[in-house]
Amino acid sequence: MRADMHIHTTASDGTWDPDQVVEAVIQTGIEFFAISDHDSVANVKETGELAAKAGLKFISGVELNSTKDGHNYHILGYGIDIQNKQLLELCRHNQRLLGKKDDDSIRNLIERGWPLSMEEFADYTYDLHRGGWKALAYLQDKKLCGDVNDFFRRIFTAENDLGFPDFPGIAEVVQVIHGAGGIAVCAHLASDFHGAGMQEYLPRLVDEKLDGFECYHSGHSRENSKLLAHFCRRHKLYISGGSDCHGSFVPTRHLGVPEIDSDMLCLPWLQQ
């Protein structure tokens, strides 16, 4: 089966509703997939129901923010109970941190002389089908920011005293995922999201109780994917992979790319 285990929807920063995700999955020829929204499971139930009607194999998922040694890591939870109390509490906690960071980002830019207003931002709303998040959409509508790459390259920087919040540690996030009946997989470790790359950050994670890694990702080179998959097989860890597609929000990421066949993966639902 063709597989894509990392897809975002309007529940976080993607542009697709559940029905649009399922339609895109069918058109792409994917038969096994998961949606893994940032700190949200709001669209999992509906997507699963639509996938079942279409005869597709679907796994519940989420992508949780975590922090270790001041660095942001994304931990994918697969096969989770989306009604688990601790999981929902963690999602809400992280969402509050992200909302506060949005407010702090705009306030920081105002203090630096940007022509913005906290009162205006407090009342500001935007169409979730644009993708992204509130601060980004607000800056775009004020003609002060281009796309998401411009935001992270020019605005959300250390020079502007902006950075990710301190999220719960990896160990806590993994524990919550396990408590919700799922497996915990570290996302896109070899992508440019992690700056220094896999060789720098992988040794920092060996003591964490992760169940596996996302070896195949749109931001990974073939060589790094191969190395990370070899690491997982050697240490008897699960192997996942996905496009990290956000609909049209991130134009460089396309559903089903890289092309992943289920026999490239090692996940519990493929071993039954």
Side-chain angles (χ1 to χ4, degrees):
M1 295 182 292
R2 280 195 66 185
D4 193 328
M5 307 303 294
H6 195 157
I7 305 169
H8 291 272
T9 76
T10 51
S12 59
D13 54 350
T15 63
W16 290 337
D17 290 323
D19 60 331
Q20 295 172 305
V21 170
V22 173
E23 180 60 30
V25 163
I26 293 170
Q27 290 182 358
T28 309
I30 293 166
E31 301 169 85
F32 178 43
F33 76 107
I35 59 169
S36 47
D37 279 307
H38 296 289
D39 304 302
S40 175
V41 293
N43 279 346
V44 171
K45 183 175 184 291
E46 183 179 354
T47 306
E49 291 171 349
L50 292 170
K53 290 178 182 177
L56 303 169
K57 190 173 181 65
F58 175 78
I59 302 299
S60 59
V62 68
E63 185 173 20
L64 296 165
N65 276 287
S66 68
T67 300
K68 181 182 172 100
D69 300 328
H71 188 74
N72 183 221
Y73 294 90
H74 291 176
I75 309 301
L76 295 159
Y78 291 125
I80 49 168
D81 173 7
I82 62 171
Q83 297 181 328
N84 179 266
K85 181 180 178 181
Q86 286 70 36
L87 174 68
L88 294 175
E89 287 177 350
L90 178 56
C91 286
R92 286 191 290 267
H93 173 76
N94 281 0
Q95 288 170 10
R96 284 194 295 270
L97 290 178
L98 290 168
K100 183 177 184 302
K101 176 55 63 175
D102 263 1
D103 291 342
D104 291 346
S105 296
I106 299 303
R107 187 175 294 108
N108 181 289
L109 294 175
I110 290 171
E111 291 172 354
R112 291 171 180 271
W114 288 54
L116 304 168
S117 162
M118 285 306 299
E119 291 77 13
E120 183 180 55
F121 183 64
D123 294 333
Y124 173 78
T125 59
Y126 69 103
D127 182 0
L128 296 179
H129 295 91
R130 290 171 56 172
W133 51 94
K134 184 178 178 181
L136 170 62
Y138 177 62
L139 290 169
Q140 288 174 323
D141 286 347
K142 299 293 285 186
K143 310 300 182 186
L144 295 171
C145 180
D147 62 9
V148 60
N149 293 322
D150 182 41
F151 181 84
F152 284 113
R153 181 178 60 251
R154 188 173 55 86
I155 297 173
F156 199 75
T157 65
E159 289 76 16
N160 284 331
D161 197 27
L162 295 176
F164 289 105
D166 284 328
F167 295 103
I170 293 177
E172 180 181 345
V173 171
V174 170
Q175 184 178 28
V176 169
I177 291 172
H178 288 168
I183 64 170
V185 173
C186 184
H188 47 63
L189 191 65
S191 72
D192 57 7
F193 176 82
H194 290 280
M198 181 177 70
Q199 286 74 13
E200 172 72 23
Y201 292 110
L202 183 57
R204 303 185 188 187
L205 300 180
V206 293
D207 294 329
E208 301 289 349
K209 296 183 189 292
L210 291 161
D211 300 303
F213 287 85
E214 183 178 44
C215 298
Y216 307 100
H217 181 269
S218 53
H220 287 190
S221 68
R222 288 186 180 182
E223 182 62 24
N224 279 338
S225 289
K226 186 185 299 184
L227 288 171
L228 198 50
H230 174 74
F231 175 86
C232 288
R233 285 191 291 268
R234 180 179 177 185
H235 294 279
K236 296 180 171 56
L237 297 170
Y238 290 124
I239 296 171
S240 187
S243 63
D244 205 354
C245 179
H246 287 62
S248 61
F249 175 60
V250 184
T252 56
R253 298 180 191 168
H254 304 283
L255 193 67
V257 179
E259 189 164 331
I260 300 167
D261 195 87
S262 57
D263 64 5
M264 297 163 61
L265 307 179
C266 177
L267 293 169
W269 308 277
L270 297 171
Q271 300 168 355
Q272 295 174 352

